[in-house]
Amino acid sequence: MAVTQQLARVPAEYLASCRQSADASPDGDPLWDPPSTDVLDLDWAPFLVERAGELGGLDDVRRSALRQALDGDTAIDLGFLNTHPHAIGSFGPAPTALSAAQVARAAELLGQIDFPALLDALPTDEAEAASLIGSGADKIVGGPKKYVLRHFTALREFYRGASRRQLLVVLWWD
C-alpha cells in the first residue's frame, strides 16, 4: 500500500470533540472520522508540486505558503491523533494542522499562484520535465505536468473551501 498525504477540513469544535473522546476512551480512540467530502487525498504529489513551484520560479512568499499548505504547523497539539492503536498518520510524521486564520492566508496565497505558468517554465518534453522534477515523476502515466497541475488545483480548491467555511485543516501521511 502506498503512503499518501491526506488532508481533512474540520471545525475547531470537531477537533475538540475528538480530543475529548481520546481522553475519555480507555484505549485513546479519538473517534476521528471526518466526512469524506472534507478529506483530500493528495497521493504522493506534495513533493512534486513543491518542486514544480520551485523550478517554475515561484516567489518566496507563495512558495512558503505552498509549503505550509502541504506541511501544516505544529502549533495545534494533535498528539491524541497520533496514539496507537488509533494513530491516523502511522506511516509518516506526526499529524499537523493549520488554524482557520492560517487556512485563510494559505487559501489567499494559493489563489494567487498561476500554476500553469510555472509549469510552462519547465521543458515541454515530459521526460525532461520529469527528470528535473525528480521524486519518481518519470513514472507518472500521462506525464508529470498534468498530474502536478491536477493535484495543485485540488489543493487550492480544498483550501478555498476550508477558508470560506472557516475550518481548520489537519494533515497527515497514511
Side-chain angles (χ1 to χ4, degrees):
M1 174 165 86
V3 177
T4 63
Q5 186 175 38
Q6 308 292 310
L7 292 83
R9 303 181 283 215
V10 298
E13 298 80 14
Y14 179 77
L15 207 53
S17 172
C18 288
R19 185 177 282 114
Q20 264 185 327
S21 294
D23 288 345
S25 171
D27 66 350
D29 187 355
L31 302 177
W32 173 259
D33 190 23
S36 61
T37 55
D38 284 319
V39 176
L40 174 64
D41 182 345
L42 275 183
D43 200 27
W44 49 279
F47 306 112
L48 306 177
V49 168
E50 202 171 327
R51 179 71 174 144
E54 177 186 325
L55 291 169
L58 188 60
D59 66 88
D60 289 342
V61 171
R62 284 158 195 78
R63 193 164 70 201
S64 177
L66 177 60
R67 188 173 299 118
Q68 186 178 45
L70 293 168
D71 293 343
D73 192 313
T74 58
I76 297 173
D77 177 19
L78 297 178
F80 65 95
L81 291 177
N82 200 31
T83 304
H84 181 76
H86 304 287
I88 67 169
S90 53
F91 295 108
T96 60
L98 294 179
S99 69
Q102 289 172 310
V103 166
R105 181 72 175 141
E108 176 187 342
L109 292 171
L110 291 174
Q112 296 172 8
I113 298 173
D114 182 354
F115 217 79
L118 297 175
L119 293 175
D120 284 345
L122 297 175
T124 54
D125 179 75
E126 289 285 344
E128 287 180 48
S131 176
L132 284 175
I133 294 171
S135 297
D138 59 325
K139 296 184 180 26
I140 297 172
V141 176
K145 289 182 179 183
K146 288 179 186 175
Y147 175 86
V148 170
L149 179 59
R150 183 175 72 244
H151 285 84
F152 173 78
T153 302
L155 178 72
R156 180 174 48 207
E157 292 306 312
F158 189 82
Y159 271 90
R160 185 175 290 146
S163 176
R164 267 194 315 269
R165 295 166 50 203
Q166 299 178 354
L167 300 175
L168 290 75
V169 171
V170 176
L171 305 93
W172 71 99
W173 286 87
D174 189 20

